[in-house]
């Protein structure tokens, strides 16, 4: 099988590198060609046009930024006509309706489509330890399982197209909410003069603890948010997708809308490209600025 990988950004690059390490024949395309250099050096074929990659592959993996990018790269007239007989695996974060609409377009072109969004960040992508959630037919899941296991050892079948997208949005909401809540407690404890090690020891011994707290603790205490595992601007984009979908269900969104405001504050403090743990200065410096 030859795989076309479309979208080699922060997550796409290490995922494509996993395919090469597994001796999968790979052709890659990215709208910013400079980002393809590491893949070319590792032996990947490079496409200058999406249709070139699609035409020469059996399976197309998408790790593009949003639905608009997918339409631009995959579903223009020139690309759409090359999808017949090919499998499309969409691995980015979309709303369920977006995923279903893209499936319909791919099927209308004579191709097949499954969604396989992932939970995890760059370290998990590099080591093949992403949690892969699959939406589609059970038979499609089984047929693509070996390929998906390159990204995560135990891909989970969720249900029809749209179900994996829904679950991913729910989990991304937790990433933002848990991290913001931890940052608030950490800032409070720090400003009250309580020993941070003592706070963390008690937290780790409690049922409140989540490993993501320790993953973010050093960044927050050091104030170093560079080399992002998940950029603030990416998380706020995914939270916007969650809010859009959850609003249609009539849910009370007060908590996540507050989290979004904090993420937006981090963005305005020049942290859009930095790690999402930069919510900590957005919380702490607001308290200092207000005289608390």
């Amino acid at each position: 099988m030859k795989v076309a990988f479309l979208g080699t950004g922060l997550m796409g690059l290490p995922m494509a590198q996993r395919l090469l390490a597994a001796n999968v024949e790979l052709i890659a395309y990215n709208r910013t060609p400079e980002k393809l250099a590491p893949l070319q050096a590792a032996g990947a074929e490079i496409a200058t046009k999406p249709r070139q990659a699609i035409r020469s592959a059996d399976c197309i993996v998408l790790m593009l930024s949003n639905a608009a990018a997918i339409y631009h790269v995959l579903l223009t007239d020139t690309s759409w006509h090359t999808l017949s007989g090919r499998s499309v695996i969409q691995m980015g974060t979309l709303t369920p309706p977006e995923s279903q609409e893209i499936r319909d377009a791919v099927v209308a072109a004579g191709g097949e489509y499954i969604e396989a969004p992932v939970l995890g960040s760059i370290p998990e992508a590099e080591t093949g330890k992403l949690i892969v959630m699959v939406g589609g037919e059970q038979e499609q899941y089984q047929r693509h399982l070996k390929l998906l296991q390159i990204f995560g050892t135990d891909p989970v079948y969720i249900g029809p197209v749209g179900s994996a997208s829904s679950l991913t949005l729910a989990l991304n909401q937790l990433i933002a909410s848990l991290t913001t809540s931890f940052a608030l407690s950490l800032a409070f404890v720090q400003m009250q003069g309580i020993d941070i090690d003592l706070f963390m020891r008690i937290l780790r011994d409690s049922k409140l603890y989540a490993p993501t707290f320790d993953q973010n603790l050093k960044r927050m205490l050091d104030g170093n948010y560079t080399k992002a595992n998940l950029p603030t601007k990416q998380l706020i984009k995914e939270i916007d997708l969650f809010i859009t979908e959850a609003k249609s269900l009539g849910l009370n969104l007060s908590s996540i809308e507050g989290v979004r405001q904090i993420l937006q504050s981090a963005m305005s403090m020049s942290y859009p490209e930095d790690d999402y743990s930069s919510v900590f200065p957005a919380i702490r410096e607001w308290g200092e600025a207000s005289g608390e």
Side-chain angles (χ1 to χ4, degrees):
M1 177 189 292
K2 186 172 183 178
V3 174
F5 202 103
L6 310 184
T8 58
L10 283 176
M11 288 289 287
L13 177 59
M15 291 172 69
Q17 288 170 327
R18 290 287 305 172
L19 293 175
L20 285 174
N23 295 316
V24 173
E25 189 178 1
L26 185 71
I27 181 168
Y29 169 81
N30 194 72
R31 288 185 293 176
T32 306
E34 293 78 14
K35 293 183 178 180
L36 293 166
L39 294 175
Q40 187 171 27
E45 183 181 349
I46 300 303
T48 57
K49 300 288 185 183
R51 64 179 179 273
Q52 176 190 347
I54 296 165
R55 191 181 295 121
S56 62
D58 307 294
C59 178
I60 299 101
V61 175
L62 305 178
M63 200 62 187
L64 296 162
S65 58
N66 52 34
I70 292 175
Y71 276 94
H72 179 74
V73 169
L74 188 77
L75 299 176
T76 60
D77 285 344
T78 52
S79 296
W80 182 77
H81 287 295
T82 64
L83 291 175
S84 181
R86 292 169 174 82
S87 298
V88 174
I89 303 177
Q90 197 297 114
M91 303 193 74
T93 304
L94 301 175
T95 65
E98 287 173 336
S99 188
Q100 291 159 351
E101 288 173 7
I102 292 166
R103 173 204 58 196
D104 292 346
V106 170
V107 170
E112 70 166 337
Y113 173 94
I114 63 172
E115 59 181 11
V118 298
L119 181 66
S121 54
I122 293 172
E124 290 77 25
E126 292 173 337
T127 56
K129 294 181 180 178
L130 292 167
I131 296 174
V132 182
M133 296 160 280
V134 183
E137 300 296 328
Q138 182 79 39
E139 178 272 332
Q140 292 176 304
Y141 164 75
Q142 293 293 341
R143 188 155 36 85
H144 294 91
L145 183 58
K146 187 175 180 180
L147 178 64
L148 294 173
Q149 284 173 330
I150 295 172
F151 305 117
T153 55
D154 189 24
V156 183
Y157 178 70
I158 307 301
V161 170
S163 60
S165 292
S166 292
L167 184 52
T168 305
L169 293 180
L171 293 167
N172 285 336
Q173 187 276 143
L174 274 177
I175 291 172
S177 294
L178 283 172
T179 303
T180 305
S181 292
F182 173 69
L184 179 59
S185 289
L186 179 64
F188 179 82
V189 165
Q190 195 177 55
M191 295 174 80
Q192 291 286 352
I194 298 169
D195 183 74
I196 300 300
D197 290 337
L198 182 60
F199 163 63
M200 291 304 300
R201 191 184 83 189
I202 293 171
L203 179 58
R204 292 185 192 109
D205 287 342
S206 75
K207 292 183 179 180
L208 299 171
Y209 178 71
T212 187
F213 298 157
D214 268 310
Q215 291 171 9
N216 288 311
L217 177 64
K218 189 175 190 306
R219 282 185 182 271
M220 291 178 178
L221 294 181
D222 292 347
N224 182 2
Y225 307 106
T226 59
K227 297 181 180 178
N229 286 330
L230 175 60
T232 305
K233 69 175 186 179
Q234 177 67 23
L235 183 56
I236 201 169
K237 183 209 83 169
E238 296 181 356
I239 292 308
D240 284 342
L241 295 178
F242 174 85
I243 289 173
T244 296
E245 190 64 16
K247 191 173 291 184
S248 71
L249 300 174
L251 296 175
N252 186 331
L253 300 176
S254 300
S255 61
I256 190 61
E257 286 172 344
V259 167
R260 191 196 183 285
Q261 289 178 356
I262 295 169
L263 286 166
Q264 190 62 51
S265 294
M267 290 270 286
S268 66
M269 292 170 66
S270 302
Y271 291 117
E273 302 288 346
D274 287 346
D275 194 77
Y276 69 103
S277 54
S278 60
V279 295
F280 182 67
I283 288 170
R284 167 144 187 153
E285 293 178 27
W286 187 92
E288 291 173 342
S290 65
E292 294 295 331

